[in-house]
Amino acid sequence: MSADRKDPHRGTQAPTDGAPIDPVGMIWQQVEKSWTASFDMWSAWAGSWQSTVQNRGAPAVKAIVDQLANPAAWPGGLAPLTKELEDILALPRFADLPGMDAAALPSFAPALELMAVAQQYLLAAAPVWASACQRFQAAIAERGAMDSAGEAMDIWNNVLDETLMAFNRSAEFGSVQQRFLRAAMHQRQEVRKLAERAAQAVDLPTRTEMDDVYHRLHDLLREVHDLRRELCALKRSRADGVRAVPAEAGES
Amino acid sequence: MDKAFGAIPGLVELAAYGTRAAKAASLLSEIRDQDVDLATLQREEIHRICGRTLYHIVADRPARVRTPVMVVYAMVGRWTVLDLQDDRSFLRNLSEGGCDLYVLDWGNPTPADRFDDFGDLIDLYMDGFVDVICDRHGIDKINLLGICQGGVLSLCYAALHPDRVRNLITCVTPVDFHADLQEQHTGRGFMNVWTRNLSPADIDLLIDTMGNVPGEVGGAMFSLMTPFRSLAKYNLTLLEVGQDRAKLMNFLRMEKWLADRPAHTAESARQWLKDLYQQNKLANGDLVVGGRTVDLADVTMPVLNIYSETDHIIPAAASRAMRERVGTKDYTGSAVSGGHIGIFCSRSQQKLRDQIVSWLRSR
């Protein structure tokens, strides 16, 4: 093979031993090489795709399927699924490219979760109103005839308040509250993420930066307070010492 | 015609309702926000530390209780409820009873205050103000009167600085934050139930995200305690009090006070909700403030603990639990009638005033 040389003008190999050129063989060789190169490329892409599917897609799809197969997770709506999709898109950080991390993008998951919480609350609260109506009817029946609509209103108000108070103390309501708090806080974090990016774009301090400043101020305030206390103690002890010296001198 | 009109069921009642509503609306139209005045008792600003202010109540008669009293209210509300109006003023009553009063105003915490924890509230602000009072009067101890959360802070202060407190008075102050489990009542201790429904991680999420906890969050919690009554006050109650200007003004003053809810500093709120409401560290002797453990056995000065058996926010059992935990031999527990706020702004405060003043004078 070392005897072969390339003809830069023709782009084909010229035999050096004086053998006749086989144009069909050369064409076939070119086609074969092109095909092999093309196949290698597609094979590499297929490997890449397979790796992506295996490492990112399959776990995410498994998680999504698990979520879908779990009736307990259904009230959560689409929120957990969007998290999984974000995980598929996330990339490592590159030095000289803009951040492509999907986690940096605002997520709709908390907003979807808030909608799901509202549904859960409505589901939990619906029987409470039915119960309040039943209790009101029972209270009216027990009371008998009434002189005014105002009396009925008072009974209704008391029944409704007691029913809602009992519901607000229930584990069911506690669960909705807990879920609401988490979703609301995550939603707030998403909004803050957007606001911080906007603030950075126009050179305004962000919440995170201001918190850092406040932390330092707070530490300084504590330090000043401690130093002031030490100074007062020193002044007191010095004053006591000055008073003690003449007294001792007098005694001697 | 009148007879026929009156014979239609409910129509007379509806007409009477309309008349009352018109009268209430007429009265309401005469009143502007600036007419609704709170905390009118004369006071002077004595000292200020980072937005926290110490006021001295200017009395029109000489003090009969020689040692001045520093009043510490909760951070979750404003102290002005203690001087709601002339005839419903806890501070005026105490002042007229002969107490020389100082009031700590926690102000309106800003994001710059978010890292203030119990250690700062107690060792930095409260102790700083106690220094100022002692310097003014040439004394080394003061009387401390803490209310609700202010009572908890006062109790911690007394445990950590027993040499600075001559007598301690706590009003509607929780000590055992899990005591509501022993005496469960639908209308009481909702905050305890709500907080325990959350995990410590939820509280961290809340505080880390919000920073200072806005007053509106506390307001929402209080509304959930009595969900319908909180709304009914704007139709039924307003209609009732709207027939009389004095009653309406009283109602509007309370509303103005309720609307003025300062934020709670983030780190102290974290301790309040996690260490106290969830983990009950004050009662268990595990609460750490400013790097020191609060041991209530160190509260050795005389203690007067005032609580209400019908308190819907702080269950009485939570307050009564103080007796077994403080180290003093001079403990007085006193149950008074009224609600959590009502005991400070009802007209019948004579008994409460007399009790506090005579207790202080005898010590």
Side-chain angles (χ1 to χ4, degrees), chain A residues 31-65:
Chain A
V31 170
E32 187 193 5
K33 282 185 179 175
S34 302
W35 174 257
T36 308
S38 179
F39 180 79
D40 287 348
M41 181 194 78
W42 286 112
S43 174
W45 276 112
S48 164
W49 176 247
Q50 189 184 11
S51 165
T52 306
V53 168
Q54 274 182 350
N55 294 322
R56 291 168 179 257
V61 169
K62 184 181 180 305
I64 288 172
V65 170

Short mmCIF file of all heavy atoms in Angstrom, two decimals, chain A residues 31-65:
data_model
loop_
_atom_site.label_atom_id
_atom_site.label_comp_id
_atom_site.label_asym_id
_atom_site.label_seq_id
_atom_site.Cartn_x
_atom_site.Cartn_y
_atom_site.Cartn_z
N VAL A 31 -18.02 4.09 -3.97
CA VAL A 31 -19.38 3.91 -3.44
C VAL A 31 -19.33 3.18 -2.10
O VAL A 31 -20.01 3.56 -1.13
CB VAL A 31 -20.26 3.13 -4.46
CG1 VAL A 31 -21.59 2.72 -3.82
CG2 VAL A 31 -20.50 3.97 -5.69
N GLU A 32 -18.45 2.14 -2.08
CA GLU A 32 -18.36 1.36 -0.84
C GLU A 32 -17.87 2.22 0.32
O GLU A 32 -18.40 2.17 1.43
CB GLU A 32 -17.41 0.17 -1.08
CG GLU A 32 -17.37 -0.79 0.10
CD GLU A 32 -16.21 -1.77 0.00
OE1 GLU A 32 -15.39 -1.64 -0.93
OE2 GLU A 32 -16.11 -2.62 0.90
N LYS A 33 -16.84 3.05 0.03
CA LYS A 33 -16.29 3.90 1.10
C LYS A 33 -17.32 4.93 1.57
O LYS A 33 -17.49 5.18 2.76
CB LYS A 33 -15.03 4.60 0.61
CG LYS A 33 -13.81 3.69 0.62
CD LYS A 33 -12.56 4.43 0.27
CE LYS A 33 -11.38 3.48 0.32
NZ LYS A 33 -10.16 4.11 -0.13
N SER A 34 -18.01 5.51 0.58
CA SER A 34 -19.03 6.51 0.96
C SER A 34 -20.11 5.85 1.81
O SER A 34 -20.57 6.39 2.83
CB SER A 34 -19.68 7.11 -0.28
OG SER A 34 -18.71 7.69 -1.09
N TRP A 35 -20.52 4.71 1.38
CA TRP A 35 -21.59 3.99 2.09
C TRP A 35 -21.14 3.64 3.51
O TRP A 35 -21.88 3.83 4.48
CB TRP A 35 -21.96 2.74 1.29
CG TRP A 35 -22.95 1.88 2.00
CD1 TRP A 35 -22.70 0.72 2.66
CD2 TRP A 35 -24.33 2.15 2.16
NE1 TRP A 35 -23.85 0.23 3.21
CE2 TRP A 35 -24.88 1.10 2.93
CE3 TRP A 35 -25.18 3.18 1.72
CZ2 TRP A 35 -26.22 1.05 3.25
CZ3 TRP A 35 -26.51 3.12 2.05
CH2 TRP A 35 -27.03 2.06 2.82
N THR A 36 -19.88 3.12 3.58
CA THR A 36 -19.36 2.74 4.90
C THR A 36 -19.28 3.96 5.83
O THR A 36 -19.68 3.91 6.99
CB THR A 36 -17.95 2.11 4.76
OG1 THR A 36 -18.02 1.07 3.80
CG2 THR A 36 -17.45 1.57 6.08
N ALA A 37 -18.78 5.08 5.27
CA ALA A 37 -18.66 6.29 6.10
C ALA A 37 -20.04 6.76 6.55
O ALA A 37 -20.24 7.12 7.72
CB ALA A 37 -17.96 7.40 5.31
N SER A 38 -20.96 6.71 5.59
CA SER A 38 -22.31 7.14 5.92
C SER A 38 -22.93 6.21 6.96
O SER A 38 -23.56 6.66 7.94
CB SER A 38 -23.14 7.14 4.64
OG SER A 38 -24.45 7.52 4.93
N PHE A 39 -22.69 4.93 6.78
CA PHE A 39 -23.24 3.95 7.73
C PHE A 39 -22.65 4.18 9.13
O PHE A 39 -23.35 4.12 10.14
CB PHE A 39 -22.92 2.53 7.23
CG PHE A 39 -23.44 1.47 8.14
CD1 PHE A 39 -24.79 1.11 8.12
CD2 PHE A 39 -22.60 0.84 9.07
CE1 PHE A 39 -25.28 0.14 8.97
CE2 PHE A 39 -23.09 -0.12 9.93
CZ PHE A 39 -24.43 -0.48 9.88
N ASP A 40 -21.29 4.42 9.13
CA ASP A 40 -20.63 4.69 10.43
C ASP A 40 -21.28 5.89 11.13
O ASP A 40 -21.51 5.88 12.33
CB ASP A 40 -19.15 4.95 10.22
CG ASP A 40 -18.39 3.66 9.88
OD1 ASP A 40 -18.99 2.58 10.05
OD2 ASP A 40 -17.23 3.75 9.45
N MET A 41 -21.55 6.93 10.33
CA MET A 41 -22.13 8.14 10.93
C MET A 41 -23.51 7.84 11.53
O MET A 41 -23.80 8.16 12.68
CB MET A 41 -22.26 9.23 9.88
CG MET A 41 -22.83 10.54 10.42
SD MET A 41 -23.34 11.65 9.12
CE MET A 41 -24.88 10.93 8.63
N TRP A 42 -24.34 7.16 10.71
CA TRP A 42 -25.68 6.87 11.21
C TRP A 42 -25.63 5.90 12.38
O TRP A 42 -26.43 6.00 13.32
CB TRP A 42 -26.55 6.30 10.09
CG TRP A 42 -26.96 7.36 9.11
CD1 TRP A 42 -26.57 7.49 7.81
CD2 TRP A 42 -27.79 8.48 9.40
NE1 TRP A 42 -27.11 8.60 7.24
CE2 TRP A 42 -27.87 9.25 8.20
CE3 TRP A 42 -28.46 8.93 10.52
CZ2 TRP A 42 -28.59 10.42 8.11
CZ3 TRP A 42 -29.20 10.10 10.43
CH2 TRP A 42 -29.26 10.84 9.25
N SER A 43 -24.64 5.00 12.29
CA SER A 43 -24.48 4.05 13.39
C SER A 43 -24.11 4.79 14.69
O SER A 43 -24.60 4.49 15.77
CB SER A 43 -23.41 3.02 13.01
OG SER A 43 -23.14 2.19 14.10
N ALA A 44 -23.21 5.80 14.52
CA ALA A 44 -22.80 6.60 15.70
C ALA A 44 -23.99 7.36 16.28
O ALA A 44 -24.20 7.44 17.49
CB ALA A 44 -21.70 7.57 15.31
N TRP A 45 -24.81 7.92 15.35
CA TRP A 45 -26.00 8.64 15.83
C TRP A 45 -26.99 7.69 16.51
O TRP A 45 -27.61 8.05 17.51
CB TRP A 45 -26.69 9.36 14.66
CG TRP A 45 -26.08 10.69 14.38
CD1 TRP A 45 -25.37 11.07 13.28
CD2 TRP A 45 -26.11 11.84 15.24
NE1 TRP A 45 -24.95 12.37 13.37
CE2 TRP A 45 -25.39 12.88 14.59
CE3 TRP A 45 -26.65 12.10 16.50
CZ2 TRP A 45 -25.22 14.14 15.15
CZ3 TRP A 45 -26.47 13.36 17.05
CH2 TRP A 45 -25.76 14.36 16.38
N ALA A 46 -27.07 6.51 15.93
CA ALA A 46 -27.96 5.52 16.55
C ALA A 46 -27.47 5.16 17.94
O ALA A 46 -28.26 5.03 18.89
CB ALA A 46 -28.04 4.28 15.66
N GLY A 47 -26.11 5.05 18.07
CA GLY A 47 -25.54 4.76 19.39
C GLY A 47 -25.83 5.89 20.37
O GLY A 47 -26.16 5.66 21.53
N SER A 48 -25.69 7.10 19.84
CA SER A 48 -25.95 8.27 20.69
C SER A 48 -27.41 8.28 21.15
O SER A 48 -27.72 8.52 22.32
CB SER A 48 -25.62 9.53 19.90
OG SER A 48 -26.18 10.65 20.52
N TRP A 49 -28.28 8.01 20.21
CA TRP A 49 -29.72 7.99 20.52
C TRP A 49 -30.03 6.89 21.53
O TRP A 49 -30.76 7.11 22.50
CB TRP A 49 -30.48 7.78 19.22
CG TRP A 49 -31.96 7.64 19.40
CD1 TRP A 49 -32.71 6.54 19.18
CD2 TRP A 49 -32.86 8.64 19.88
NE1 TRP A 49 -34.02 6.78 19.47
CE2 TRP A 49 -34.15 8.08 19.91
CE3 TRP A 49 -32.71 9.98 20.28
CZ2 TRP A 49 -35.26 8.78 20.33
CZ3 TRP A 49 -33.83 10.68 20.69
CH2 TRP A 49 -35.08 10.09 20.72
N GLN A 50 -29.37 5.72 21.29
CA GLN A 50 -29.60 4.59 22.20
C GLN A 50 -29.13 4.94 23.61
O GLN A 50 -29.79 4.66 24.60
CB GLN A 50 -28.84 3.37 21.68
CG GLN A 50 -29.20 2.10 22.43
CD GLN A 50 -28.36 0.92 21.96
OE1 GLN A 50 -27.40 1.08 21.23
NE2 GLN A 50 -28.74 -0.26 22.39
N SER A 51 -27.94 5.62 23.65
CA SER A 51 -27.41 6.02 24.96
C SER A 51 -28.36 6.99 25.66
O SER A 51 -28.62 6.89 26.85
CB SER A 51 -26.03 6.65 24.75
OG SER A 51 -25.63 7.34 25.90
N THR A 52 -28.87 7.95 24.85
CA THR A 52 -29.79 8.93 25.44
C THR A 52 -31.04 8.25 25.97
O THR A 52 -31.51 8.53 27.07
CB THR A 52 -30.19 9.97 24.36
OG1 THR A 52 -29.00 10.53 23.82
CG2 THR A 52 -31.06 11.07 24.95
N VAL A 53 -31.54 7.33 25.14
CA VAL A 53 -32.76 6.63 25.55
C VAL A 53 -32.50 5.81 26.80
O VAL A 53 -33.30 5.83 27.76
CB VAL A 53 -33.27 5.74 24.39
CG1 VAL A 53 -34.36 4.79 24.89
CG2 VAL A 53 -33.80 6.60 23.26
N GLN A 54 -31.36 5.11 26.80
CA GLN A 54 -31.06 4.24 27.95
C GLN A 54 -30.82 5.04 29.22
O GLN A 54 -31.34 4.75 30.28
CB GLN A 54 -29.82 3.40 27.65
CG GLN A 54 -30.14 2.12 26.89
CD GLN A 54 -28.91 1.28 26.63
OE1 GLN A 54 -27.79 1.73 26.85
NE2 GLN A 54 -29.11 0.07 26.15
N ASN A 55 -29.99 6.11 29.08
CA ASN A 55 -29.58 6.84 30.28
C ASN A 55 -30.60 7.87 30.76
O ASN A 55 -30.68 8.18 31.94
CB ASN A 55 -28.23 7.53 30.04
CG ASN A 55 -27.13 6.53 29.83
OD1 ASN A 55 -27.11 5.48 30.49
ND2 ASN A 55 -26.23 6.80 28.91
N ARG A 56 -31.33 8.47 29.82
CA ARG A 56 -32.25 9.53 30.22
C ARG A 56 -33.70 9.16 29.97
O ARG A 56 -34.54 9.31 30.85
CB ARG A 56 -31.94 10.82 29.45
CG ARG A 56 -30.64 11.46 29.85
CD ARG A 56 -30.25 12.54 28.85
NE ARG A 56 -29.02 13.19 29.24
CZ ARG A 56 -28.95 14.39 29.81
NH1 ARG A 56 -30.04 15.07 30.03
NH2 ARG A 56 -27.79 14.90 30.14
N GLY A 57 -33.95 8.70 28.74
CA GLY A 57 -35.34 8.44 28.36
C GLY A 57 -35.98 7.32 29.15
O GLY A 57 -37.06 7.50 29.73
N ALA A 58 -35.25 6.18 29.22
CA ALA A 58 -35.86 5.02 29.87
C ALA A 58 -36.20 5.28 31.34
O ALA A 58 -37.34 5.00 31.76
CB ALA A 58 -34.95 3.80 29.72
N PRO A 59 -35.23 5.86 32.13
CA PRO A 59 -35.62 6.13 33.53
C PRO A 59 -36.78 7.10 33.63
O PRO A 59 -37.67 6.94 34.47
CB PRO A 59 -34.34 6.74 34.13
CG PRO A 59 -33.23 6.32 33.22
CD PRO A 59 -33.83 6.19 31.86
N ALA A 60 -36.76 8.13 32.73
CA ALA A 60 -37.84 9.12 32.79
C ALA A 60 -39.17 8.49 32.42
O ALA A 60 -40.19 8.72 33.08
CB ALA A 60 -37.52 10.28 31.87
N VAL A 61 -39.15 7.69 31.34
CA VAL A 61 -40.40 7.05 30.90
C VAL A 61 -40.89 6.08 31.97
O VAL A 61 -42.08 6.02 32.27
CB VAL A 61 -40.19 6.31 29.55
CG1 VAL A 61 -41.38 5.43 29.23
CG2 VAL A 61 -39.96 7.32 28.43
N LYS A 62 -39.92 5.36 32.59
CA LYS A 62 -40.32 4.44 33.67
C LYS A 62 -40.98 5.21 34.81
O LYS A 62 -42.02 4.82 35.32
CB LYS A 62 -39.09 3.68 34.19
CG LYS A 62 -39.46 2.64 35.23
CD LYS A 62 -38.22 1.92 35.75
CE LYS A 62 -38.59 0.89 36.79
NZ LYS A 62 -39.38 1.42 37.90
N ALA A 63 -40.36 6.36 35.13
CA ALA A 63 -40.94 7.18 36.21
C ALA A 63 -42.32 7.68 35.82
O ALA A 63 -43.25 7.70 36.64
CB ALA A 63 -40.00 8.35 36.52
N ILE A 64 -42.45 8.09 34.56
CA ILE A 64 -43.75 8.59 34.10
C ILE A 64 -44.80 7.48 34.14
O ILE A 64 -45.92 7.68 34.61
CB ILE A 64 -43.63 9.16 32.65
CG1 ILE A 64 -42.84 10.48 32.69
CG2 ILE A 64 -45.00 9.37 32.02
CD1 ILE A 64 -42.48 11.03 31.32
N VAL A 65 -44.38 6.30 33.67
CA VAL A 65 -45.32 5.16 33.68
C VAL A 65 -45.71 4.82 35.12
O VAL A 65 -46.88 4.56 35.43
CB VAL A 65 -44.70 3.94 32.96
CG1 VAL A 65 -45.55 2.70 33.18
CG2 VAL A 65 -44.56 4.24 31.47
#
